Amino acid sequence: MDRLLVLARHGQSEWNLKNLFTGWKDPGLTDLGIEEARNAGRRLKEMGVQFDVAFTSDLSRAQRTCKLILEEIGQPDLKTIANMALNERDYGDLSGLNKDDARARWGEEQVHVWRRSYDVPPPGGESLKDTVARVLPYYIREILPRVMRGERVLVAAHGNSLRALVMVLDGLTSETIPSLELATGIPLVYKLNEDTTVASKKVLEG
């Protein structure tokens, strides 16, 4: 039994390129982001990976990344479940702002706290702790049972929603998880033990 779980952050978005806080806003992928997603699919295909189901967020950049990956591995019609529980962290009043402009307005230290603390939300938005509280119940209820039944599962989502999953899978703490960076378009390939712990993890770079 494989118990395979693959996590992939969406390819570069138009707002990633412009250095804007994105959150629940819905910009598309750049040409580079499209290529990153296709490359993720190619690397998974080289490994011989096939999926039984895919999960993604309500946001188009993750959905398109998911679709491109599945096209590359020859499964364009695979059942795909989209749910807002997997959405990016909501940046509230920071959404749509250039990160440098935000630093000029609120100060470097305050913006750093909002971005890299675990439990301090920006005005009108979510902390990473809030995002974890949204993502983990969905994972436990909808995704993990499928993996444990032997289904091979792809999750194409966002930096912060995937951080929540990596926090649990890798046993990270609230002190260490905020500094974790997940690159766009780089799949993380997990195989789980019978007790849901990680048997192996591979980062498909290059």
Side-chain angles (χ1 to χ4, degrees):
M1 186 182 293
D2 278 345
R3 289 192 289 270
L4 181 75
L5 175 64
V6 175
L7 308 181
R9 183 183 173 194
H10 63 78
Q12 183 193 63
S13 75
E14 293 161 358
W15 284 19
N16 292 147
L17 180 62
K18 294 176 181 176
N19 199 33
L20 306 180
F21 286 101
T22 309
W24 286 29
K25 302 294 185 181
D26 204 20
L29 298 179
T30 63
D31 289 344
L32 174 60
I34 291 168
E35 187 58 26
E36 286 176 335
R38 290 198 182 281
N39 280 336
R42 291 182 194 119
R43 287 193 290 273
L44 289 165
K45 184 177 182 180
E46 287 168 6
M47 281 186 68
V49 172
Q50 292 279 284
F51 295 106
D52 297 298
V53 66
F55 289 86
T56 189
S57 76
D58 266 354
L59 299 170
S60 63
R61 59 191 184 275
Q63 292 180 5
R64 185 152 192 219
T65 295
C66 188
K67 182 176 174 57
L68 291 167
I69 289 173
L70 293 174
E71 285 176 358
E72 288 295 327
I73 63 173
Q75 293 187 283
D77 299 321
L78 186 74
K79 179 180 179 180
T80 300
I81 300 166
N83 195 287
M84 67 177 292
L86 296 173
N87 279 13
E88 178 57 291
R89 173 184 173 189
D90 183 357
Y91 277 106
D93 293 352
L94 299 183
S95 299
L97 292 182
N98 182 282
K99 292 172 184 175
D100 292 330
D101 291 344
R103 292 184 189 101
R105 179 173 172 183
W106 284 289
E108 175 92 32
E109 185 175 341
Q110 181 62 72
V111 172
H112 181 77
V113 167
W114 287 332
R115 292 189 68 202
R116 289 293 177 255
S117 68
Y118 182 67
D119 56 3
V120 180
E126 294 178 308
S127 65
L128 181 53
K129 182 179 180 180
D130 296 328
T131 308
V132 169
R134 164 164 57 80
V135 173
L136 282 188
Y138 185 76
Y139 170 71
I140 291 166
R141 185 177 67 248
E142 302 293 339
I143 298 174
L144 184 59
R146 290 177 177 269
V147 178
M148 301 312 293
R149 288 198 299 267
E151 294 185 34
R152 297 157 299 178
V153 178
L154 170 65
V155 179
H158 307 267
N160 283 296
S161 54
L162 293 177
R163 267 196 186 116
L165 300 183
V166 172
M167 182 177 178
V168 170
L169 291 163
D170 291 9
L172 302 179
T173 67
S174 58
E175 286 77 34
T176 56
I177 190 64
S179 61
L180 175 73
E181 290 290 345
L182 297 176
T184 52
I186 304 294
L188 307 179
V189 180
Y190 287 92
K191 289 189 177 180
L192 303 188
N193 294 310
E194 287 182 20
D195 63 358
T196 77
T197 59
V198 174
S200 67
K201 175 185 179 181
K202 183 176 291 187
V203 181
L204 297 189
E205 296 179 284

